[in-house]
Amino acid sequence: METNYKYTIKKDPEKGILLVNEQGEVVEATDILEKCGNRRVFAFDGKMGAGKTTFIKYLCEAMGTEDVVNSPTFAIVNVYEVEVTRRKGEKAKGERQEVYHFDCYRIKDLREAMDMGTEEYLYSGNYCFIE
């Protein structure tokens, strides 16, 4: 079953940057991850500068990364460490896992993606955030 959720990044002069769902309600990054259950591969679509990397930054921060989250345009894949979550937001103290953040802007074709080991990332069981 394919499900598409759409969120928008809004700038509020008082509250800063907010994530907003299709109904205009402000949502937390952790709510998005909980709503998606066991899904681990996420695709982000939008024009350059639309806020995809900012959105991914919020997700990684909500998952407890201490890494700097930025666009992997030149590296194509950035790896961040986050806290392992057990049940409904409960963190597994001290346990960490990797999150893979892809920027496919510079990938020219499927062969190039396969040559860099994309399949291994996608089937790792870790979160994969793809722009």
Side-chain angles (χ1 to χ4, degrees), residues 107-124:
I107 295 177
K108 294 177 186 86
D109 56 35
L110 183 58
R111 171 181 257 173
E112 188 177 344
M114 298 319 260
D115 287 347
M116 62 177 255
T118 301
E119 267 188 302
E120 291 178 37
Y121 291 113
L122 297 177
Y123 291 105
S124 68

Side-chain angles (χ1 to χ4, degrees), residues 1 9 32 36 39 43 54 57 61 72 76 99 120:
M1 178 173 112
I9 295 175
I32 295 166
C36 292
R39 292 184 183 105
T54 301
K57 178 180 179 181
E61 286 174 354
I76 300 179
V99 167
E120 291 178 37

Side-chain angles (χ1 to χ4, degrees), residues 3 7 16 26 28 30 32 45 48 52 58 76 119 121:
T3 306
Y7 298 92
V26 175
E28 296 294 323
T30 52
I32 295 166
D45 184 34
M48 195 173 291
K52 299 177 298 292
Y58 283 151
I76 300 179
E119 267 188 302
Y121 291 113

Side-chain angles (χ1 to χ4, degrees), residues 10-38:
K10 299 262 180 175
K11 293 181 183 176
D12 182 281
E14 294 176 19
K15 299 178 184 175
I17 295 177
L18 306 171
L19 298 175
V20 180
N21 66 16
E22 289 178 286
Q23 292 74 36
E25 303 163 329
V26 175
V27 295
E28 296 294 323
T30 52
D31 294 339
I32 295 166
L33 295 173
E34 286 179 18
K35 184 175 190 175
C36 292
N38 290 328

